[in-house]
């Protein structure tokens, strides 16, 4: 069996919900069945094979080729398998995903990994705002799994994040970890203004202090935190800036906050 | 059966099903890991009055521990799951949480759950935080020297307690030196501990007593000073008897430890004053495991 490849015929003008094209939903379907599935583009209902040419037959290993920046919810709800996007992906990548892997060679749109509960999403490029964050109306954002970002992350990274890990090799925008409930976010580059805004619990790991710090983040001084050695060891071998951290270098400056709310969150600035 | 002049009795050690757990204690250096481990496994020679039997399995290098610091692997055994859970909570709470720089982790991945940080976290008075790393939950409890890192849950397995053999020698010193040699080799083995002081016990017991309040009393048949006065198991040459008791995570590990220990004693042989090897049992009526000495050494 070879990977089932969806090659985009023409980039659509409107956004398309591609949530149904994931390994879990397609399991057991023949290529002909998949070709006959329909997608909604604006007010038009079109067959999958009108949008993509299909090649290969392994529904557990899907590949999207072409600029899929208009395709949303890629890999949403998948429980296992692999989805590869050779190019950009739209918003809501891996929404509610439970397991498996999504790899995107380009950039991903807003709300990447929202509601994700397990598995791994690797974005080689940038992610837009609210990656790992909660969509309007939801009480929590990412709730498990791992989001790896090779480039930069937009504003409100990990907004209302509940569990899981987000590792950003580039920079993160303003309000990183806003309203965070729990989980771990690490940023290798710079973070924008006011990280940890209204965060209750959870951990933000950064390499340098943000330019603008919330008054609700209080300085607790430099400390060696043993759990970091376990965390760094668990990241060993990951692509990006966090795969080669020295597990014994776990001294950080600890800020707790946001004292405007529960105040059990922390911003750790690596020494 | 005679090995190097040492007569091997045609008898067996009788051992019991227990619940066992392995925990890994780490610290800033080996000294402090050992301080904590020694305290935690202290007063744990026999379940009769200690609640648990415990010992240090081995010292671990930084590369072998979850947090990359020097560590010690300890084994703890108790007669029931409930008792083991109680003992772990008390011992970890009083001897590991309290010990400077310490952290503690589960040493077994499979088995029934035993709360570790799950209950100890409340010491943090609301300042404790948890982290899930690699599918395992850990608790960070703020303490006066930083943070006490403790895994949420450890795992216990069905184990074996009470494997044993008796060393019968001409003199007390000869029996002791033979046991010391045996313990040195046995401590190199995984999955077993010898819970008595220095691994050796001198007060072997029999079931029952003339005193109603006692369920066990001195094994007079093996007491050399009673040789003429009781139905003794000792002939006129035997001046002292010492016992090595073994608790292990598996049947095979106990058997292996008995073999290694007995072979070491036999190396000293009759020339070193070792006359016989025997074992303690209850007629095969009480324990689930029997270790026949001749079978093990054949």
């Amino acid at each position: 069996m070879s990977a089932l490849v969806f090659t985009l015929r023409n980039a659509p003008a409107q956004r398309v919900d591609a949530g149904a094209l994931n390994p879990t939903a397609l399991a057991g379907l023949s290529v002909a069945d998949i070709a006959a599935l329909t997608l909604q583009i604006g007010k038009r209902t079109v067959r999958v094979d009108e949008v993509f040419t299909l090649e290969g037959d392994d529904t557990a290993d899907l590949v999207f080729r072409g600029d899929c920046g208009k395709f949303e919810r890629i890999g949403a709800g998948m429980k296992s398998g692999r989805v590869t996007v050779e190019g950009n992906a739209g918003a809501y990548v891996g929404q509610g995903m439970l397991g498996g892997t999504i790899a995107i060679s380009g950039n991903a749109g807003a709300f990447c990994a929202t509601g994700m509960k397990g598995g791994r999403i690797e974005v080689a490029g940038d992610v837009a705002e609210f990656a790992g964050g909660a969509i309007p109306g939801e009480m929590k954002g990412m709730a498990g799994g791992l989001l790896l970002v090779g480039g930069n992350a937009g504003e409100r990274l990990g907004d209302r994040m509940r569990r899981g890990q987000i590792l950003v090799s580039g920079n993160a925008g303003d309000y990183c970890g806003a309203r965070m409930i729990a989980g771990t976010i690490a940023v290798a580059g710079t973070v924008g203004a006011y990280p940890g805004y209204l965060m209750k619990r959870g951990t933000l790991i950064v390499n340098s202090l943000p330019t603008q710090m919330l008054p609700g983040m209080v300085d607790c001084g430099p400390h060696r935190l043993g759990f970091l050695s376990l965390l760094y060891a668990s990241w060993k071998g990951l692509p990006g800036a966090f795969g080669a951290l020295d597990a014994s270098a776990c001294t950080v400056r600890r800020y707790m906050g946001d004292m405007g709310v529960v105040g059990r969150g922390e911003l750790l600035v690596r020494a | 059966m005679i090995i190097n002049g040492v007569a091997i009795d045609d008898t067996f050690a009788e051992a019991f099903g227990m619940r066992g757990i392995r925990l890994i204690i780490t610290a800033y250096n080996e000294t402090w890991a050992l301080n904590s481990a020694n305290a935690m496994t202290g007063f744990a020679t026999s379940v009769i009055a200690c609640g648990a039997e415990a010992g240090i399995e081995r010292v671990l290098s930084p590369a072998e521990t979850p947090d990359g610091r020097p560590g010690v692997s300890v084994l703890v055994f108790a007669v029931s799951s409930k008792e083991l859970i109680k003992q772990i909570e008390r011992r970890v709470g009083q001897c590991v949480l309290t010990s400077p720089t310490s952290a503690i982790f589960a040493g077994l991945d499979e088995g029934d759950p035993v709360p570790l940080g799950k209950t100890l976290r409340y010491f943090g008075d609301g300042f404790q935080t948890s982290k899930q790393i690699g599918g395992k939950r850990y608790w960070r409890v703020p303490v006066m020297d930083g943070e006490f890192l403790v895994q949420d849950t450890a795992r216990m397995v069905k184990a074996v307690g009470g494997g044993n053999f008796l060393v019968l020698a001409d003199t007390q010193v000869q029996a002791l030196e033979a046991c010391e040699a045996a313990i040195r080799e046995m401590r190199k083995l995984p999955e077993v501990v010898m819970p008595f002081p220095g691994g050796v016990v001198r007060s072997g017991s029999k079931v029952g007593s003339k005193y109603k309040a006692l369920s066990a009393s001195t094994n007079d048949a093996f007491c050399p000073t009673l040789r003429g006065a009781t139905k003794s198991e000792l002939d006129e040459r035997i001046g002292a008897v010492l016992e090595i008791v073994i608790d292990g995570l598996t049947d095979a590990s106990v058997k292996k430890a008995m073999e290694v220990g007995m072979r070491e004693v036999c190396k000293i042989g009759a020339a070193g004053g070792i006359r016989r090897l025997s074992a303690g049992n209850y007629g095969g009526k009480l324990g689930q495991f029997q270790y026949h000495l001749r079978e093990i050494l054949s």
Side-chain angles (χ1 to χ4, degrees), chain A residues 163 183-184 203 224-227 229-231 234 254 264 266, chain B residues 66-67 69 105 126-127 131-133 137-138 140 147 149:
Chain A
R163 193 177 286 143
T184 304
T203 304
R224 184 196 178 278
L225 301 180
F227 87 98
S229 63
L230 271 71
L231 195 63
S234 75
R254 183 173 199 240
R264 296 285 182 269
E266 62 186 351
Chain B
D67 64 356
R69 299 191 299 168
F105 307 97
F127 292 102
K131 257 309 149 209
Q132 273 198 339
I133 301 169
R137 181 184 291 281
Y138 301 87
R140 300 160 55 196
E147 280 185 346
L149 181 63

PDB file of all heavy atoms in Angstrom, chain A residues 163 183-184 203 224-227 229-231 234 254 264 266, chain B residues 66-67 69 105 126-127 131-133 137-138 140 147 149:
ATOM      1  N   ARG A 163      -4.121  21.228  28.822  1.00  0.00           N
ATOM      2  CA  ARG A 163      -3.087  20.201  29.034  1.00  0.00           C
ATOM      3  C   ARG A 163      -2.286  20.069  27.743  1.00  0.00           C
ATOM      4  O   ARG A 163      -2.697  20.601  26.712  1.00  0.00           O
ATOM      5  CB  ARG A 163      -3.741  18.857  29.393  1.00  0.00           C
ATOM      6  CG  ARG A 163      -2.778  17.824  29.925  1.00  0.00           C
ATOM      7  CD  ARG A 163      -3.499  16.550  30.334  1.00  0.00           C
ATOM      8  NE  ARG A 163      -4.240  16.715  31.563  1.00  0.00           N
ATOM      9  CZ  ARG A 163      -5.438  16.156  31.817  1.00  0.00           C
ATOM     10  NH1 ARG A 163      -6.004  15.423  30.898  1.00  0.00           N
ATOM     11  NH2 ARG A 163      -6.040  16.325  32.967  1.00  0.00           N
ATOM     12  N   GLY A 183      -0.835  22.919  31.512  1.00  0.00           N
ATOM     13  CA  GLY A 183      -0.055  22.541  30.334  1.00  0.00           C
ATOM     14  C   GLY A 183       1.273  23.274  30.290  1.00  0.00           C
ATOM     15  O   GLY A 183       1.623  24.010  31.217  1.00  0.00           O
ATOM     16  N   THR A 184       1.993  23.062  29.200  1.00  0.00           N
ATOM     17  CA  THR A 184       3.340  23.614  29.083  1.00  0.00           C
ATOM     18  C   THR A 184       3.525  24.272  27.721  1.00  0.00           C
ATOM     19  O   THR A 184       3.195  23.661  26.696  1.00  0.00           O
ATOM     20  CB  THR A 184       4.391  22.496  29.243  1.00  0.00           C
ATOM     21  OG1 THR A 184       4.167  21.841  30.493  1.00  0.00           O
ATOM     22  CG2 THR A 184       5.809  23.053  29.211  1.00  0.00           C
ATOM     23  N   THR A 203       2.720  26.165  32.742  1.00  0.00           N
ATOM     24  CA  THR A 203       4.125  26.578  32.711  1.00  0.00           C
ATOM     25  C   THR A 203       4.462  27.218  31.373  1.00  0.00           C
ATOM     26  O   THR A 203       4.190  26.632  30.322  1.00  0.00           O
ATOM     27  CB  THR A 203       5.026  25.339  32.925  1.00  0.00           C
ATOM     28  OG1 THR A 203       4.647  24.700  34.152  1.00  0.00           O
ATOM     29  CG2 THR A 203       6.491  25.726  32.996  1.00  0.00           C
ATOM     30  N   ARG A 224      16.658  25.811  40.907  1.00  0.00           N
ATOM     31  CA  ARG A 224      16.812  24.574  40.128  1.00  0.00           C
ATOM     32  C   ARG A 224      15.527  23.778  40.305  1.00  0.00           C
ATOM     33  O   ARG A 224      15.183  23.389  41.418  1.00  0.00           O
ATOM     34  CB  ARG A 224      18.005  23.759  40.645  1.00  0.00           C
ATOM     35  CG  ARG A 224      18.261  22.534  39.812  1.00  0.00           C
ATOM     36  CD  ARG A 224      19.154  21.523  40.484  1.00  0.00           C
ATOM     37  NE  ARG A 224      19.298  20.373  39.606  1.00  0.00           N
ATOM     38  CZ  ARG A 224      18.419  19.393  39.520  1.00  0.00           C
ATOM     39  NH1 ARG A 224      17.333  19.402  40.240  1.00  0.00           N
ATOM     40  NH2 ARG A 224      18.614  18.384  38.685  1.00  0.00           N
ATOM     41  N   LEU A 225      14.818  23.533  39.228  1.00  0.00           N
ATOM     42  CA  LEU A 225      13.556  22.798  39.298  1.00  0.00           C
ATOM     43  C   LEU A 225      13.735  21.425  38.670  1.00  0.00           C
ATOM     44  O   LEU A 225      13.954  21.300  37.457  1.00  0.00           O
ATOM     45  CB  LEU A 225      12.442  23.582  38.588  1.00  0.00           C
ATOM     46  CG  LEU A 225      12.171  24.994  39.162  1.00  0.00           C
ATOM     47  CD1 LEU A 225      11.058  25.676  38.379  1.00  0.00           C
ATOM     48  CD2 LEU A 225      11.793  24.907  40.636  1.00  0.00           C
ATOM     49  N   GLY A 226      13.642  20.404  39.501  1.00  0.00           N
ATOM     50  CA  GLY A 226      13.944  19.038  39.065  1.00  0.00           C
ATOM     51  C   GLY A 226      13.055  18.530  37.953  1.00  0.00           C
ATOM     52  O   GLY A 226      13.500  17.752  37.107  1.00  0.00           O
ATOM     53  N   PHE A 227      11.809  18.997  37.924  1.00  0.00           N
ATOM     54  CA  PHE A 227      10.910  18.459  36.894  1.00  0.00           C
ATOM     55  C   PHE A 227      11.366  18.836  35.494  1.00  0.00           C
ATOM     56  O   PHE A 227      11.056  18.160  34.517  1.00  0.00           O
ATOM     57  CB  PHE A 227       9.462  18.926  37.143  1.00  0.00           C
ATOM     58  CG  PHE A 227       9.120  20.252  36.525  1.00  0.00           C
ATOM     59  CD1 PHE A 227       8.460  20.311  35.311  1.00  0.00           C
ATOM     60  CD2 PHE A 227       9.470  21.430  37.143  1.00  0.00           C
ATOM     61  CE1 PHE A 227       8.145  21.520  34.730  1.00  0.00           C
ATOM     62  CE2 PHE A 227       9.169  22.645  36.572  1.00  0.00           C
ATOM     63  CZ  PHE A 227       8.503  22.698  35.358  1.00  0.00           C
ATOM     64  N   SER A 229      14.302  18.644  34.270  1.00  0.00           N
ATOM     65  CA  SER A 229      15.206  17.644  33.685  1.00  0.00           C
ATOM     66  C   SER A 229      14.406  16.500  33.058  1.00  0.00           C
ATOM     67  O   SER A 229      14.783  15.957  32.025  1.00  0.00           O
ATOM     68  CB  SER A 229      16.205  17.126  34.720  1.00  0.00           C
ATOM     69  OG  SER A 229      15.535  16.464  35.747  1.00  0.00           O
ATOM     70  N   LEU A 230      13.279  16.151  33.689  1.00  0.00           N
ATOM     71  CA  LEU A 230      12.414  15.126  33.101  1.00  0.00           C
ATOM     72  C   LEU A 230      11.776  15.637  31.814  1.00  0.00           C
ATOM     73  O   LEU A 230      11.671  14.926  30.815  1.00  0.00           O
ATOM     74  CB  LEU A 230      11.308  14.725  34.083  1.00  0.00           C
ATOM     75  CG  LEU A 230      11.620  13.595  35.042  1.00  0.00           C
ATOM     76  CD1 LEU A 230      12.619  14.026  36.093  1.00  0.00           C
ATOM     77  CD2 LEU A 230      10.368  13.095  35.716  1.00  0.00           C
ATOM     78  N   LEU A 231      11.352  16.893  31.874  1.00  0.00           N
ATOM     79  CA  LEU A 231      10.693  17.500  30.709  1.00  0.00           C
ATOM     80  C   LEU A 231      11.663  17.587  29.534  1.00  0.00           C
ATOM     81  O   LEU A 231      11.350  17.158  28.411  1.00  0.00           O
ATOM     82  CB  LEU A 231      10.211  18.896  31.108  1.00  0.00           C
ATOM     83  CG  LEU A 231       9.197  19.575  30.196  1.00  0.00           C
ATOM     84  CD1 LEU A 231       7.899  18.782  30.144  1.00  0.00           C
ATOM     85  CD2 LEU A 231       8.917  20.984  30.695  1.00  0.00           C
ATOM     86  N   SER A 234      12.338  14.330  28.017  1.00  0.00           N
ATOM     87  CA  SER A 234      11.223  13.812  27.201  1.00  0.00           C
ATOM     88  C   SER A 234      11.193  14.469  25.825  1.00  0.00           C
ATOM     89  O   SER A 234      10.579  13.952  24.904  1.00  0.00           O
ATOM     90  CB  SER A 234       9.888  14.030  27.920  1.00  0.00           C
ATOM     91  OG  SER A 234       9.498  15.387  27.845  1.00  0.00           O
ATOM     92  N   ARG A 254      12.049  32.051  38.310  1.00  0.00           N
ATOM     93  CA  ARG A 254      10.630  31.685  38.353  1.00  0.00           C
ATOM     94  C   ARG A 254       9.757  32.897  38.687  1.00  0.00           C
ATOM     95  O   ARG A 254       9.970  33.563  39.704  1.00  0.00           O
ATOM     96  CB  ARG A 254      10.421  30.585  39.399  1.00  0.00           C
ATOM     97  CG  ARG A 254       8.994  30.080  39.469  1.00  0.00           C
ATOM     98  CD  ARG A 254       8.896  28.870  40.395  1.00  0.00           C
ATOM     99  NE  ARG A 254       7.667  28.129  40.135  1.00  0.00           N
ATOM    100  CZ  ARG A 254       6.708  27.919  41.057  1.00  0.00           C
ATOM    101  NH1 ARG A 254       6.849  28.363  42.264  1.00  0.00           N
ATOM    102  NH2 ARG A 254       5.612  27.249  40.727  1.00  0.00           N
ATOM    103  N   ARG A 264      -1.357  30.353  40.181  1.00  0.00           N
ATOM    104  CA  ARG A 264      -0.519  29.162  40.318  1.00  0.00           C
ATOM    105  C   ARG A 264       0.252  28.851  39.031  1.00  0.00           C
ATOM    106  O   ARG A 264       0.903  27.829  38.927  1.00  0.00           O
ATOM    107  CB  ARG A 264      -1.368  27.949  40.712  1.00  0.00           C
ATOM    108  CG  ARG A 264      -2.032  28.076  42.068  1.00  0.00           C
ATOM    109  CD  ARG A 264      -1.015  27.879  43.191  1.00  0.00           C
ATOM    110  NE  ARG A 264      -1.684  27.960  44.486  1.00  0.00           N
ATOM    111  CZ  ARG A 264      -1.824  29.087  45.194  1.00  0.00           C
ATOM    112  NH1 ARG A 264      -1.318  30.229  44.756  1.00  0.00           N
ATOM    113  NH2 ARG A 264      -2.450  29.079  46.354  1.00  0.00           N
ATOM    114  N   GLU A 266       3.178  29.728  36.071  1.00  0.00           N
ATOM    115  CA  GLU A 266       4.573  30.155  36.211  1.00  0.00           C
ATOM    116  C   GLU A 266       5.171  30.506  34.865  1.00  0.00           C
ATOM    117  O   GLU A 266       4.831  29.919  33.837  1.00  0.00           O
ATOM    118  CB  GLU A 266       5.402  29.059  36.908  1.00  0.00           C
ATOM    119  CG  GLU A 266       5.465  27.761  36.146  1.00  0.00           C
ATOM    120  CD  GLU A 266       6.162  26.645  36.909  1.00  0.00           C
ATOM    121  OE1 GLU A 266       6.750  26.906  37.973  1.00  0.00           O
ATOM    122  OE2 GLU A 266       6.124  25.502  36.420  1.00  0.00           O
TER     123      GLU A 266
ATOM    124  N   PRO B  66      15.489   8.627  36.461  1.00  0.00           N
ATOM    125  CA  PRO B  66      14.618   9.457  35.621  1.00  0.00           C
ATOM    126  C   PRO B  66      15.069  10.916  35.529  1.00  0.00           C
ATOM    127  O   PRO B  66      14.906  11.539  34.492  1.00  0.00           O
ATOM    128  CB  PRO B  66      13.254   9.366  36.318  1.00  0.00           C
ATOM    129  CG  PRO B  66      13.305   8.132  37.148  1.00  0.00           C
ATOM    130  CD  PRO B  66      14.737   7.957  37.547  1.00  0.00           C
ATOM    131  N   ASP B  67      15.627  11.464  36.600  1.00  0.00           N
ATOM    132  CA  ASP B  67      15.993  12.879  36.555  1.00  0.00           C
ATOM    133  C   ASP B  67      17.490  13.114  36.404  1.00  0.00           C
ATOM    134  O   ASP B  67      17.965  14.233  36.585  1.00  0.00           O
ATOM    135  CB  ASP B  67      15.451  13.626  37.786  1.00  0.00           C
ATOM    136  CG  ASP B  67      16.071  13.133  39.090  1.00  0.00           C
ATOM    137  OD1 ASP B  67      16.856  12.161  39.041  1.00  0.00           O
ATOM    138  OD2 ASP B  67      15.779  13.704  40.147  1.00  0.00           O
ATOM    139  N   ARG B  69      20.058  12.250  38.154  1.00  0.00           N
ATOM    140  CA  ARG B  69      20.881  12.492  39.343  1.00  0.00           C
ATOM    141  C   ARG B  69      21.244  11.143  39.963  1.00  0.00           C
ATOM    142  O   ARG B  69      20.623  10.121  39.666  1.00  0.00           O
ATOM    143  CB  ARG B  69      20.111  13.340  40.354  1.00  0.00           C
ATOM    144  CG  ARG B  69      19.720  14.703  39.829  1.00  0.00           C
ATOM    145  CD  ARG B  69      19.207  15.594  40.945  1.00  0.00           C
ATOM    146  NE  ARG B  69      18.031  15.062  41.599  1.00  0.00           N
ATOM    147  CZ  ARG B  69      17.531  15.524  42.737  1.00  0.00           C
ATOM    148  NH1 ARG B  69      18.132  16.534  43.337  1.00  0.00           N
ATOM    149  NH2 ARG B  69      16.451  14.990  43.277  1.00  0.00           N
ATOM    150  N   PHE B 105      10.551   8.271  42.450  1.00  0.00           N
ATOM    151  CA  PHE B 105       9.870   7.830  41.236  1.00  0.00           C
ATOM    152  C   PHE B 105       9.500   6.353  41.338  1.00  0.00           C
ATOM    153  O   PHE B 105      10.108   5.608  42.104  1.00  0.00           O
ATOM    154  CB  PHE B 105      10.792   8.006  40.017  1.00  0.00           C
ATOM    155  CG  PHE B 105      11.346   9.387  39.895  1.00  0.00           C
ATOM    156  CD1 PHE B 105      12.606   9.692  40.376  1.00  0.00           C
ATOM    157  CD2 PHE B 105      10.600  10.399  39.323  1.00  0.00           C
ATOM    158  CE1 PHE B 105      13.129  10.966  40.289  1.00  0.00           C
ATOM    159  CE2 PHE B 105      11.107  11.690  39.226  1.00  0.00           C
ATOM    160  CZ  PHE B 105      12.372  11.974  39.701  1.00  0.00           C
ATOM    161  N   GLY B 126      -1.877  23.545  48.749  1.00  0.00           N
ATOM    162  CA  GLY B 126      -2.459  24.307  47.647  1.00  0.00           C
ATOM    163  C   GLY B 126      -1.426  24.901  46.698  1.00  0.00           C
ATOM    164  O   GLY B 126      -1.754  25.326  45.603  1.00  0.00           O
ATOM    165  N   PHE B 127      -0.154  24.945  47.120  1.00  0.00           N
ATOM    166  CA  PHE B 127       0.901  25.455  46.245  1.00  0.00           C
ATOM    167  C   PHE B 127       1.495  24.348  45.374  1.00  0.00           C
ATOM    168  O   PHE B 127       2.362  24.607  44.549  1.00  0.00           O
ATOM    169  CB  PHE B 127       2.016  26.115  47.071  1.00  0.00           C
ATOM    170  CG  PHE B 127       1.578  27.378  47.752  1.00  0.00           C
ATOM    171  CD1 PHE B 127       1.265  27.378  49.090  1.00  0.00           C
ATOM    172  CD2 PHE B 127       1.447  28.555  47.038  1.00  0.00           C
ATOM    173  CE1 PHE B 127       0.850  28.544  49.725  1.00  0.00           C
ATOM    174  CE2 PHE B 127       1.036  29.723  47.657  1.00  0.00           C
ATOM    175  CZ  PHE B 127       0.729  29.721  49.005  1.00  0.00           C
ATOM    176  N   LYS B 131       2.526  17.947  36.830  1.00  0.00           N
ATOM    177  CA  LYS B 131       2.990  17.989  35.443  1.00  0.00           C
ATOM    178  C   LYS B 131       2.868  16.595  34.863  1.00  0.00           C
ATOM    179  O   LYS B 131       3.263  15.619  35.511  1.00  0.00           O
ATOM    180  CB  LYS B 131       4.476  18.358  35.400  1.00  0.00           C
ATOM    181  CG  LYS B 131       4.881  19.752  35.015  1.00  0.00           C
ATOM    182  CD  LYS B 131       4.344  20.329  33.795  1.00  0.00           C
ATOM    183  CE  LYS B 131       4.205  21.838  33.916  1.00  0.00           C
ATOM    184  NZ  LYS B 131       3.164  22.431  33.150  1.00  0.00           N
ATOM    185  N   GLN B 132       2.334  16.526  33.676  1.00  0.00           N
ATOM    186  CA  GLN B 132       2.324  15.250  32.973  1.00  0.00           C
ATOM    187  C   GLN B 132       3.457  15.259  31.969  1.00  0.00           C
ATOM    188  O   GLN B 132       3.493  16.111  31.086  1.00  0.00           O
ATOM    189  CB  GLN B 132       0.992  15.049  32.258  1.00  0.00           C
ATOM    190  CG  GLN B 132      -0.052  14.415  33.141  1.00  0.00           C
ATOM    191  CD  GLN B 132      -1.200  13.831  32.358  1.00  0.00           C
ATOM    192  OE1 GLN B 132      -1.439  14.208  31.220  1.00  0.00           O
ATOM    193  NE2 GLN B 132      -1.922  12.907  32.944  1.00  0.00           N
ATOM    194  N   ILE B 133       4.356  14.309  32.126  1.00  0.00           N
ATOM    195  CA  ILE B 133       5.508  14.227  31.224  1.00  0.00           C
ATOM    196  C   ILE B 133       5.611  12.795  30.735  1.00  0.00           C
ATOM    197  O   ILE B 133       5.690  11.866  31.539  1.00  0.00           O
ATOM    198  CB  ILE B 133       6.810  14.650  31.941  1.00  0.00           C
ATOM    199  CG1 ILE B 133       6.688  16.077  32.471  1.00  0.00           C
ATOM    200  CG2 ILE B 133       8.008  14.519  31.009  1.00  0.00           C
ATOM    201  CD1 ILE B 133       7.796  16.509  33.401  1.00  0.00           C
ATOM    202  N   ARG B 137       2.282  11.277  35.475  1.00  0.00           N
ATOM    203  CA  ARG B 137       2.015  12.500  36.236  1.00  0.00           C
ATOM    204  C   ARG B 137       2.992  12.623  37.404  1.00  0.00           C
ATOM    205  O   ARG B 137       3.258  11.646  38.103  1.00  0.00           O
ATOM    206  CB  ARG B 137       0.582  12.481  36.772  1.00  0.00           C
ATOM    207  CG  ARG B 137       0.212  13.731  37.557  1.00  0.00           C
ATOM    208  CD  ARG B 137      -1.185  13.606  38.131  1.00  0.00           C
ATOM    209  NE  ARG B 137      -2.205  13.641  37.101  1.00  0.00           N
ATOM    210  CZ  ARG B 137      -2.645  14.757  36.513  1.00  0.00           C
ATOM    211  NH1 ARG B 137      -2.145  15.926  36.867  1.00  0.00           N
ATOM    212  NH2 ARG B 137      -3.566  14.702  35.588  1.00  0.00           N
ATOM    213  N   TYR B 138       3.489  13.812  37.564  1.00  0.00           N
ATOM    214  CA  TYR B 138       4.407  14.106  38.668  1.00  0.00           C
ATOM    215  C   TYR B 138       3.837  15.272  39.474  1.00  0.00           C
ATOM    216  O   TYR B 138       3.125  16.118  38.934  1.00  0.00           O
ATOM    217  CB  TYR B 138       5.794  14.500  38.140  1.00  0.00           C
ATOM    218  CG  TYR B 138       6.433  13.426  37.296  1.00  0.00           C
ATOM    219  CD1 TYR B 138       6.192  13.346  35.925  1.00  0.00           C
ATOM    220  CD2 TYR B 138       7.252  12.455  37.863  1.00  0.00           C
ATOM    221  CE1 TYR B 138       6.748  12.343  35.153  1.00  0.00           C
ATOM    222  CE2 TYR B 138       7.820  11.455  37.101  1.00  0.00           C
ATOM    223  CZ  TYR B 138       7.561  11.404  35.740  1.00  0.00           C
ATOM    224  OH  TYR B 138       8.119  10.414  34.977  1.00  0.00           O
ATOM    225  N   ARG B 140       4.911  18.480  42.057  1.00  0.00           N
ATOM    226  CA  ARG B 140       5.973  19.360  42.543  1.00  0.00           C
ATOM    227  C   ARG B 140       5.447  20.002  43.815  1.00  0.00           C
ATOM    228  O   ARG B 140       4.515  20.804  43.768  1.00  0.00           O
ATOM    229  CB  ARG B 140       6.275  20.422  41.498  1.00  0.00           C
ATOM    230  CG  ARG B 140       6.734  19.851  40.156  1.00  0.00           C
ATOM    231  CD  ARG B 140       6.544  20.865  39.045  1.00  0.00           C
ATOM    232  NE  ARG B 140       7.206  22.118  39.343  1.00  0.00           N
ATOM    233  CZ  ARG B 140       6.942  23.265  38.689  1.00  0.00           C
ATOM    234  NH1 ARG B 140       6.056  23.296  37.715  1.00  0.00           N
ATOM    235  NH2 ARG B 140       7.573  24.368  39.016  1.00  0.00           N
ATOM    236  N   GLU B 147      11.924  22.264  45.544  1.00  0.00           N
ATOM    237  CA  GLU B 147      10.713  21.495  45.256  1.00  0.00           C
ATOM    238  C   GLU B 147      10.969  20.013  45.480  1.00  0.00           C
ATOM    239  O   GLU B 147      12.024  19.490  45.087  1.00  0.00           O
ATOM    240  CB  GLU B 147      10.288  21.698  43.790  1.00  0.00           C
ATOM    241  CG  GLU B 147       9.552  22.985  43.542  1.00  0.00           C
ATOM    242  CD  GLU B 147       9.050  23.101  42.120  1.00  0.00           C
ATOM    243  OE1 GLU B 147       9.472  22.320  41.245  1.00  0.00           O
ATOM    244  OE2 GLU B 147       8.227  23.977  41.862  1.00  0.00           O
ATOM    245  N   LEU B 149      10.026  16.628  44.136  1.00  0.00           N
ATOM    246  CA  LEU B 149       9.423  16.055  42.929  1.00  0.00           C
ATOM    247  C   LEU B 149       9.066  14.607  43.205  1.00  0.00           C
ATOM    248  O   LEU B 149       9.916  13.815  43.617  1.00  0.00           O
ATOM    249  CB  LEU B 149      10.421  16.149  41.764  1.00  0.00           C
ATOM    250  CG  LEU B 149       9.951  15.625  40.417  1.00  0.00           C
ATOM    251  CD1 LEU B 149       8.770  16.437  39.902  1.00  0.00           C
ATOM    252  CD2 LEU B 149      11.084  15.671  39.401  1.00  0.00           C
TER     253      LEU B 149
END
